[in-house]
Amino acid sequence: MVGRTNSETFGGGTWGEKEISISRENSLMNMAGPKSLSTRIKTRYERDGLPSILRSGIKLPIYLVNSTIQETKTKYIFRRIEARIANRNQLHNTSNRIPYGDEESVEISSHRSDLPETFQSILGSFHRPQPKVAEITGGKLLWEGSPALSKNNDIILETAENEKTILQHRIRTALSERDFNTVLSDIQGKIKRKFDWSTPLFLLVRHPSTNYYHWVVEYLPKLVAFDKYNRQNRETATLLIEKDAPDWVTESIKLLGYSENEWVTWDNKSAQIKHLLVPQHNSRTRDTPDLPSPNECEFVKTRANSNLQTNSSSSRYLFISRQGAEDRRIQNFREVQSLVKQYGFDTCVLEEMTFVEQVELFSQADVVLGTHGAGLTNIIFGDNLCVIELFPDTDIREHYFYLSNISNHDYYFLNNETVGLDIVVDTESLRNLLDNIME
């Protein structure tokens, strides 16, 4: 059955986008396979447009049609603007640069010889040049996550976490909320609306898909630059953060010592910005070898811990539960919980705690045990911790191995059987590990 048709200008032409419903017999289960089907749809769509797909007789799940069209629009816009993307070096060569922080030498090491490849990839010594804030006058901000344009309408890659794939994601998100022509017009700099603010705006807007780990380790450290700018300039800057942010965003800013009158919220509507400050974004991505700054993570830890108001006593041995998550849950959770309780561990459900409560909990801990997930980010608030990370054997990541290294924590990990999206913990191996650590 064919529903309504919406016409939309795309790449100089007009095409019809039809909403179709399909019967059970035309579902994906009857196809040659989702990957081959997706490739066929994409090739035909890019070559001949949607009408040719509808005439071709290819049996289409509607979600796959919409996804393919959205991805094609994203790639079309990205190709149109790719030559105008300004990376970090280009940005610093064309804007006023304000140094902050210090150069750093980072040494990542391990006593183990059986490290996974992901861990081995970050071993060794790294030099971090002195970071800088770019001062942009007459620029523009766009949509959710606030990718920014310079006065000359160059796209500032630093505002998309310095990664082209993140910029594509920002475009894709914008297309899900706006029509194609609006998104294309915005990113070309055709913006009349003004976001008037009397002081420079320091960009700290988080994209809605940015999780707790990236906020704490990549965004909060930028406040080092905010502090230095305000100390050195007569004109005090104002923080620009997202509208309707999660509680842990505003709670964390407050705990680091900033009051609500020091920030303003971004409404996700593209606008001209008179004076914008763009701090350096440090993260390990596909496009850059950056790693979170040890000095800046220490700043976050020291500032947060120094502002804690309570003197309550917390558990020293933490078992972090992910049972409320969508993946990496422990299928034999009760068995594991019973085992670790014998060693004095208390089970902690971090999503039920405020940011302040999490900082307080980890600042007093001695040992932290948990499955890989954002909750382990809080190890940066601890001192001389023992960190034990549980991995699915199909997906081993280096985030907390790195954070443990720069935080001077002892770090251990244990690979476990993957079952669907979850894991089954090898309790015998865990018992042996705990015996060695806790003796």
Side-chain angles (χ1 to χ4, degrees), residues 58 126 233 261 317:
I58 299 177
F126 301 89
N233 292 272
N261 61 12
Y317 303 130

Side-chain angles (χ1 to χ4, degrees), residues 53-105:
I53 297 178
L54 298 175
R55 292 192 299 267
S56 70
I58 299 177
K59 299 175 182 179
L60 306 174
I62 187 64
Y63 80 88
L64 194 54
V65 174
N66 291 337
S67 174
T68 301
I69 292 173
Q70 199 80 323
E71 186 64 24
T72 303
K73 290 179 182 179
T74 300
K75 289 183 176 180
Y76 173 83
I77 291 176
F78 189 79
R79 286 196 297 267
R80 288 282 298 268
I81 57 93
E82 190 168 12
R84 294 192 291 109
I85 297 174
N87 62 29
R88 181 175 297 164
N89 290 333
Q90 293 166 329
L91 174 64
H92 288 167
N93 289 334
T94 58
S95 64
N96 184 30
R97 297 171 293 169
I98 306 171
Y100 70 93
D102 300 311
E103 294 184 16
E104 293 180 82
S105 293

